[in-house]
Amino acid sequence: MRRGLISALVTLLVLVVAVFGVMALQPRTVEEELGGALGLSLPQAAAEESSDSHGFLGDGLRLVKLTFSNADGGEIEGQIAALTGLWQEGMPDGEVAQALEACCAAEQGWPAEGGERCWWFFKDRWRYEKDTPLTERGAYNYTAALYDGENCTLYYLELDT
């Protein structure tokens, strides 16, 4: 009786570990990954374009363009409007615009202009030189996003140098 109980518990433990192991190996969708980084719950995109030059050492530029349906675009706009501390209305300006220009984001597909309904997000991930202007640092490590509400398009950029 005792041996059977121990065998059943061991079998149950192995099954639980296997289930959690398989769940951990499931890749996240691009929408889940980007949404988590931007504080959004993104629906399934209607179209996706992406490029990523990150190499073995982690340096590179990742640019993702997601286009959503009009209905999903309205949902995203509502989420962004509720995140006023993270998202700014309009196009990036000042130091952020200079940093995006310095990394040649426009040549990679980052929009040079946005429509009347657009919002931007910027997160400086560099741990050092916080008082130094972005374009004068020894390295760039930031995440940027732009949401164009007129075209229901999200542009996402990660730069690591």
Side-chain angles (χ1 to χ4, degrees):
M1 170 81 175
R2 185 173 184 179
R3 188 174 280 194
L5 181 61
I6 291 174
S7 178
L9 286 174
V10 168
T11 302
L12 180 63
L13 180 62
V14 167
L15 285 174
V16 168
V17 169
V19 167
F20 282 109
V22 168
M23 288 173 54
L25 294 176
Q26 295 294 324
R28 293 173 40 184
T29 66
V30 172
E31 292 85 3
E32 290 170 334
E33 181 186 355
L34 272 54
L38 302 173
L40 303 172
S41 177
L42 295 175
Q44 179 71 36
E48 174 186 335
E49 296 175 34
S50 65
S51 63
D52 192 347
S53 65
H54 282 86
F56 175 71
L57 297 176
D59 290 350
L61 176 67
R62 178 183 185 197
L63 188 62
V64 179
K65 176 183 172 185
L66 299 176
T67 304
F68 300 92
S69 68
N70 288 337
D72 289 341
E75 177 187 323
I76 294 169
E77 284 187 55
Q79 290 182 49
I80 289 172
L83 296 171
T84 55
L86 293 176
W87 289 84
Q88 309 297 319
E89 198 166 346
M91 288 293 287
D93 58 1
E95 187 179 25
V96 171
Q98 291 173 355
L100 291 170
E101 185 178 311
C103 79
C104 304
E107 288 82 12
Q108 303 294 325
W110 184 268
E113 296 180 8
E116 290 183 27
R117 293 187 349 252
C118 65
W119 296 266
W120 60 277
F121 169 98
F122 188 84
K123 180 178 181 182
D124 183 6
R125 293 182 283 108
W126 186 241
R127 293 180 284 187
Y128 313 102
E129 304 174 287
K130 288 286 190 180
D131 296 334
T132 305
L134 290 171
T135 56
E136 296 177 20
R137 294 182 181 175
Y140 299 137
N141 290 87
Y142 52 78
T143 300
L146 178 76
Y147 183 73
D148 180 349
E150 291 178 26
N151 298 308
C152 302
T153 303
L154 175 69
Y155 299 88
Y156 176 87
L157 179 143
E158 276 180 20
L159 179 64
D160 300 288
T161 63

